[in-house]
């Protein structure tokens, strides 16, 4: 039977969200503050309040088996009644916060309630919306009681409405799998060292997640000219075609690296004309905005931008237009669809990413809480937290001034003399008072090189792959 895995928030927002994009009620600081307020309210709720309760349900509707996943902000008992608490922070004035302000909020709580009531055998259950007004620090709560039958009927109706989109995705997945299985290396021969690197990446992608491991981390370095981009993309796509994973993220720090990835995908399409692969490159809002102000900056306010006004009312038509195409979702094609349907091209690109097989973009999409790669946020966060410098990386986004190269190097790159086991030449000569403090002049992601050094020291197993010409590929 066909299977679809969905985040509960993704399901309700895709089907029920309406209205405008409005940057006045969003932003990096708002997103971070919202997370802190969530934790604070959960802690203040006291004993008996269970926070961040994971909920999962497998349900078949219309011949499609759905696996729904999510986390209830809180579950507690009040006056003998089980209550699902859905916490939302908002910058809207408290006078504008009403019970009917956003149907998605009720829908999310009701889906959690349907799952929990079914699992616990509850006949009735309450859903509470807790709104925290950030500027006024005011809490407003609204509660509704539902029967289990009402909640299950609501959930079934949502899944029935989603069915056409689920079938579109399942049909595409079947085509993609067949074309990736038939995919061949786009060049007559591998470059020196390229086969060894591709082989290690392929094995890492095949291993993937297991019950014992959350994933496989592979640290590689290779000489310039090895063909690292194709060595990464080709084996990863082959593993994807074999069912090892659902999507591939290719995150970079530089435009040249993103361009190299795009060119590699184009070469794969030329070599295999039948390739069915939805690939998208996420482009900065400043570059794709169609309604900039006099200063040349995006203004995401519905009164000033026709592409922001009513965006959520028109996005499904724009998505259907693009998803029914050949699969290459480049910037010109997204902008063409955005103009035709009067929707924001930046937000349209983010929404398209939910349906794509390969997502190419700046690594900021991994760190920035205001950029919603909705379905994949948790997976990307887990990947982010595995980076040994993730705490320092978070600091990069606290202030724009930290984007200066010297500030970035200070946050991300330890001094060479701080690396375990390092001895300066002065120390070797016994002149510790003349110990040199060297900060390497490395670019933003050059911390990978330092990370390499540490992992090389700590790794229990390390292998060096050499080809007949002596080129070395180091794998940790």
């Amino acid at each position: 039977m066909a299977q679809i895995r969905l985040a509960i928030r993704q399901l309700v927002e895709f089907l029920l969200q309406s209205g405008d994009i409005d940057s006045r009620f969003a932003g990096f600081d708002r997103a971070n503050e919202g997370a802190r307020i969530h934790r604070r309210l959960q802690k203040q709720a006291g004993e008996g309040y269970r926070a961040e309760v994971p909920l999962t349900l497998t349900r078949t509707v219309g011949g499609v088996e759905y696996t729904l996943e999510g986390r209830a902000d809180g579950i507690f008992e009040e006056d003998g009644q089980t209550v699902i608490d859905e916490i939302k922070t908002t910058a809207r004035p408290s006078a504008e916060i009403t019970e009917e302000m956003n149907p998605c909020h009720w829908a999310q709580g009701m889906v959690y309630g349907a799952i929990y009531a079914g699992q616990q055998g509850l006949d009735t259950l309450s859903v509470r919306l807790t709104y925290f007004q950030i500027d006024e620090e005011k809490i407003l709560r609204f509660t509704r009681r539902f029967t289990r039958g009402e909640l299950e009927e609501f959930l079934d109706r949502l899944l029935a409405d989603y069915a056409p989109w689920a079938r579109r995705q399942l049909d595409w997945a079947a085509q993609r799998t067949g074309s990736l299985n038939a995919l061949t290396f786009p060049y007559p021969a591998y470059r020196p060292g390229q086969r060894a690197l591709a082989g290690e990446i392929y094995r890492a992608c095949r291993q993937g997640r297991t019950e014992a491991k959350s994933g496989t981390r592979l640290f590689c370095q290779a000489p310039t000219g090895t063909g690292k981009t194709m060595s990464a993309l080709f084996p990863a796509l082959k593993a994807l075609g074999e069912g090892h994973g659902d999507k591939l993220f290719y995150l970079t720090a530089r435009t040249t690296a993103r361009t190299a990835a795009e060119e590699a995908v184009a070469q794969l399409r030329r070599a295999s004309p039948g390739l069915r692969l939805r690939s998208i490159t996420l482009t900065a809002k400043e570059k794709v905005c169609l309604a900039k102000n006099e200063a040349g900056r995006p203004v995401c306010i519905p009164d000033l931008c026709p592409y922001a006004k009513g965006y959520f009312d028109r996005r499904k038509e724009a998505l259907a237009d693009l998803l029914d195409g050949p699969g290459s979702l480049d910037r010109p094609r997204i902008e063409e669809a955005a103009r035709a349907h009067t929707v924001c091209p930046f937000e349209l690109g983010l929404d398209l990413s939910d349906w794509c097989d390969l997502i190419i973009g700046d690594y900021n999409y991994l760190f920035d809480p205001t950029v919603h790669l909705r379905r994949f946020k948790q997976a990307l966060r887990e990947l982010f937290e595995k980076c040994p410098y993730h705490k320092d990386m978070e600091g990069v986004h606290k202030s724009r001034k930290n984007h200066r190269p010297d500030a970035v190097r200070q946050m991300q790159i330890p001094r060479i003399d701080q690396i375990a086991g390092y001895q300066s030449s002065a120390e070797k000569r016994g002149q510790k008072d003349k110990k040199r403090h060297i900060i390497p002049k490395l670019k933003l992601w050059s911390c990978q090189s330092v990370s390499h050094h540490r992992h090389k020291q700590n790794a229990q197993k390390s292998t060096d792959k050499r080809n007949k010409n002596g080129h070395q590929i180091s794998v940790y």
Side-chain angles (χ1 to χ4, degrees), residues 13-155:
E13 288 186 348
F14 180 77
L15 292 175
L16 302 178
Q17 194 167 13
S18 61
D20 313 324
I21 298 171
D22 197 334
S23 63
R24 291 173 295 182
F25 304 119
F28 179 84
D29 292 335
R30 294 291 191 193
N32 277 329
E33 189 174 4
R36 290 193 295 270
I37 291 170
H38 265 65
R39 293 191 293 269
R40 190 175 84 192
L41 293 179
Q42 289 167 339
K43 185 177 294 186
Q44 290 175 351
E47 295 183 5
Y49 186 98
R50 290 182 292 149
E52 301 298 328
V53 181
L55 295 170
T56 304
L57 174 71
T58 299
R59 198 182 195 91
T60 301
V61 176
V64 178
E65 183 181 280
Y66 297 91
T67 298
L68 303 179
E69 299 173 322
R71 285 179 178 271
D73 290 331
I75 299 179
F76 64 98
E77 300 291 327
E78 185 177 66
D79 299 329
Q81 181 78 25
T82 300
V83 182
I84 303 290
D85 193 21
E86 185 64 21
I87 302 172
K88 301 295 181 183
T89 57
T90 180
R92 293 186 181 277
S94 59
E96 298 180 12
I97 300 175
T98 66
E99 190 172 352
E100 304 293 343
M101 184 175 72
N102 192 329
C104 292
H105 298 165
W106 282 115
Q108 194 172 347
M110 290 171 68
V111 174
Y112 293 144
I115 296 173
Y116 192 76
Q119 292 175 346
Q120 302 298 320
L122 303 175
D123 294 327
T124 61
L125 178 145
S126 293
V127 175
R128 186 178 78 179
L129 295 187
T130 299
Y131 288 106
F132 185 93
Q133 210 292 334
I134 295 175
D135 300 315
E136 303 173 36
E137 295 194 353
K138 187 175 181 179
I139 299 174
L140 295 93
R141 293 188 171 97
F142 306 96
T143 304
R144 291 178 180 176
R145 179 172 294 187
F146 301 93
T147 66
R148 184 168 65 180
E150 290 173 332
L151 295 172
E152 291 185 347
E153 181 182 353
F154 176 76
L155 175 56

Side-chain angles (χ1 to χ4, degrees), residues 37-301:
I37 291 170
H38 265 65
R39 293 191 293 269
R40 190 175 84 192
L41 293 179
Q42 289 167 339
K43 185 177 294 186
Q44 290 175 351
E47 295 183 5
Y49 186 98
R50 290 182 292 149
E52 301 298 328
V53 181
L55 295 170
T56 304
L57 174 71
T58 299
R59 198 182 195 91
T60 301
V61 176
V64 178
E65 183 181 280
Y66 297 91
T67 298
L68 303 179
E69 299 173 322
R71 285 179 178 271
D73 290 331
I75 299 179
F76 64 98
E77 300 291 327
E78 185 177 66
D79 299 329
Q81 181 78 25
T82 300
V83 182
I84 303 290
D85 193 21
E86 185 64 21
I87 302 172
K88 301 295 181 183
T89 57
T90 180
R92 293 186 181 277
S94 59
E96 298 180 12
I97 300 175
T98 66
E99 190 172 352
E100 304 293 343
M101 184 175 72
N102 192 329
C104 292
H105 298 165
W106 282 115
Q108 194 172 347
M110 290 171 68
V111 174
Y112 293 144
I115 296 173
Y116 192 76
Q119 292 175 346
Q120 302 298 320
L122 303 175
D123 294 327
T124 61
L125 178 145
S126 293
V127 175
R128 186 178 78 179
L129 295 187
T130 299
Y131 288 106
F132 185 93
Q133 210 292 334
I134 295 175
D135 300 315
E136 303 173 36
E137 295 194 353
K138 187 175 181 179
I139 299 174
L140 295 93
R141 293 188 171 97
F142 306 96
T143 304
R144 291 178 180 176
R145 179 172 294 187
F146 301 93
T147 66
R148 184 168 65 180
E150 290 173 332
L151 295 172
E152 291 185 347
E153 181 182 353
F154 176 76
L155 175 56
D156 286 341
R157 190 164 62 249
L158 284 180
L159 295 178
D161 291 343
Y162 192 81
W165 296 90
R167 294 190 187 98
R168 176 187 272 113
Q169 187 69 353
L170 291 169
D171 291 343
W172 175 264
Q175 298 176 44
R176 179 199 70 183
T177 298
S179 68
L180 288 179
N181 286 334
L183 183 66
T184 58
F185 193 69
Y187 299 107
Y190 285 90
R191 294 180 185 179
Q194 194 173 27
R195 181 185 288 274
L197 179 57
E200 292 294 337
I201 292 174
Y202 176 71
R203 280 187 285 274
C205 291
R206 278 182 58 88
Q207 291 174 359
R209 291 171 177 249
T210 65
E211 292 183 0
K213 297 177 64 177
S214 61
T216 300
R217 284 176 283 180
L218 180 67
F219 296 83
C220 298
Q221 62 181 6
T224 301
T226 302
K228 294 185 283 292
T229 303
M230 189 61 75
S231 297
L233 281 176
F234 177 71
L237 289 173
K238 292 296 289 184
L240 193 68
E242 295 171 1
H244 302 288
D246 296 319
K247 298 190 182 290
L248 177 61
F249 292 88
Y250 195 99
L251 304 176
T252 72
R254 302 173 61 189
T255 302
T256 53
R258 294 197 297 277
T259 301
E262 293 171 335
E263 291 175 351
V265 173
Q267 180 61 29
L268 288 170
R269 294 189 189 278
R270 288 191 294 268
S272 301
L275 179 61
R276 303 289 284 172
L277 180 73
R278 282 186 187 144
S279 62
I280 185 171
T281 299
L282 300 177
T283 308
K285 182 186 294 186
E286 289 76 9
K287 294 182 180 179
V288 299
C289 180
L290 300 176
K292 297 178 181 178
N293 61 13
E294 295 179 356
R297 296 175 181 174
V299 182
C300 301
I301 299 175

Side-chain angles (χ1 to χ4, degrees), residues 447-465:
C447 61
Q448 291 176 343
S449 299
V450 180
S451 176
H452 254 324
H453 185 96
R454 287 182 171 173
H455 278 275
K456 186 174 181 180
Q457 289 182 329
N458 298 330
Q460 295 179 350
K461 294 183 180 180
S462 172
T463 59
D464 288 335
K465 305 289 184 180

